[in-house]
Amino acid sequence: DLYILDRLEDGRYQVPLTGKIYSLEETFIKPYVRGKDVHRFETLGAVKYIFFPYIVENDVARPVTLEELKSSCPLTYQYVMDNEAEFKAREGKKAAQKEIWYVYLREQNLNKYEKPRISSMEICSNYPNLAWNPGIYHGTKVYSWLINPEMENQISNYFLLAIGNSKLMWWFLKLTGDTLSSDSRTMKTNYLSPFPLPLEPNPNIKESIERLVKERLSCQDAMSSISIEQQINDKVCELYGITDEEKEVIDAAY
């Protein structure tokens, strides 16, 4: 409620914690989504905005200092100073012990949020729920997949989006993952990591999958979307050598 801001129609931002409204420079304000904003085969867009007090240089994130804020973004500096007591009070005043007291108390992976990738809800109910993320920030109820740089020439985000959203993936998770309420499944690393990726996918099938995913991302018609998703599922099954009999078993679990 201090960092995640509501953007008003006039372009100003409201702080939910205090209700105060600010005009802010865009430099340290980033687009943000929550878990419920992630929808399968859609492109994520900003629903909220988050104060991100870091400068990312050479793939390393470092906190922006008060002096830098004051000189380059005086409106954002004012927002920080107006809320100094609230920033310092976080987690039993642990934040007050930091030299830069408005930084995050957990700073993992801060250099990765603007990378294009795919993102999923943490918990999915009836099917995998992965979306194309062009570089939107998110919290702990969203998980993102990043391709190992050593494999960037072999697989793509579109390829992973097809596999992640496939009936085959859901069948695998229902067999191997923990069952939650409403028969939901968790899309976390330890549940996903055992699922095998083809290291040398058939190039023709891979190309077809990527083309279909791009087509699905741009499709606005519900019936056409269903047809394209079925084609994607068929191609993923072909990629893994799934027989017609095995497809029936997978469909029955979906």
Side-chain angles (χ1 to χ4, degrees):
D1 287 344
L2 182 61
Y3 287 89
I4 301 171
L5 312 176
D6 294 316
R7 188 170 187 169
L8 306 180
E9 290 185 359
D10 61 6
R12 295 183 298 166
Y13 297 89
Q14 185 170 36
V15 184
L17 183 67
T18 63
K20 293 181 180 179
I21 296 173
Y22 292 88
S23 294
L24 300 172
E25 299 89 354
E26 301 296 319
T27 308
F28 299 103
I29 306 298
K30 305 296 183 180
Y32 181 89
V33 293
R34 303 155 299 183
K36 64 181 181 180
D37 305 317
V38 178
H39 305 290
R40 59 187 275 114
F41 285 119
E42 289 190 4
T43 299
L44 294 181
V47 175
K48 300 274 189 175
Y49 290 82
I50 187 168
F51 173 48
F52 183 75
Y54 294 86
I55 296 172
V56 179
E57 294 175 329
N58 300 319
D59 210 30
V60 176
R62 68 166 180 84
V64 59
T65 66
L66 272 178
E67 291 76 15
E68 289 173 319
L69 269 182
K70 189 174 184 178
S71 62
S72 65
C73 297
L75 298 175
T76 305
Y77 171 80
Q78 190 61 54
Y79 151 69
V80 169
M81 296 308 298
D82 284 354
N83 295 280
E84 179 177 0
E86 289 80 5
F87 278 115
K88 289 183 174 179
R90 290 175 295 139
E91 293 202 11
K93 298 186 178 181
K94 287 182 181 179
Q97 301 172 16
K98 287 182 168 288
E99 180 179 355
I100 304 179
W101 34 264
Y102 47 85
V103 298
Y104 300 163
L105 297 180
R106 295 166 184 79
E107 299 181 313
Q108 298 91 336
N109 298 317
L110 295 183
N111 61 325
K112 296 181 171 64
Y113 281 96
E114 293 190 8
K115 296 179 183 293
R117 60 197 187 278
I118 60 174
S119 296
S120 72
M121 283 184 172
E122 177 189 13
I123 298 174
C124 297
S125 298
N126 301 310
Y127 42 72
N129 208 343
L130 281 81
W132 167 244
N133 188 335
I136 308 293
Y137 288 58
H138 58 73
T140 58
K141 297 303 180 182
V142 178
Y143 278 74
S144 284
W145 302 15
L146 285 174
I147 298 174
N148 187 317
E150 296 179 359
M151 297 187 67
E152 287 178 345
N153 293 328
Q154 298 170 266
I155 58 176
S156 68
N157 283 305
Y158 298 116
F159 185 68
L160 287 179
L161 188 57
I163 293 174
N165 271 333
S166 68
K167 291 182 178 180
L168 180 62
M169 174 63 79
W170 192 245
W171 171 80
F172 173 83
L173 290 174
K174 291 195 76 170
L175 285 179
T176 62
D178 292 339
T179 303
L180 306 178
S181 62
S182 302
D183 205 25
S184 300
R185 292 297 186 273
T186 305
M187 303 290 285
K188 288 185 176 181
T189 305
N190 54 324
Y191 298 107
L192 295 168
S193 289
F195 189 89
L197 287 178
L199 295 180
E200 296 181 0
N202 181 295
N204 294 327
I205 300 176
K206 177 175 176 290
E207 183 178 343
S208 295
I209 288 174
E210 292 171 338
R211 174 183 55 78
L212 286 166
V213 169
K214 292 175 185 178
E215 186 178 345
R216 173 63 185 86
L217 287 170
S218 63
C219 183
Q220 301 298 318
D221 179 75
M223 293 303 296
S224 297
S225 296
I226 293 172
S227 174
I228 296 168
E229 287 190 30
Q230 184 56 55
Q231 293 177 65
I232 292 172
N233 274 309
D234 290 342
K235 283 296 179 181
V236 170
C237 285
E238 183 181 354
L239 180 74
Y240 281 88
I242 303 299
T243 66
D244 289 341
E245 291 78 10
E246 289 168 338
K247 284 174 66 175
E248 291 180 5
V249 174
I250 292 169
D251 287 340
Y254 194 71

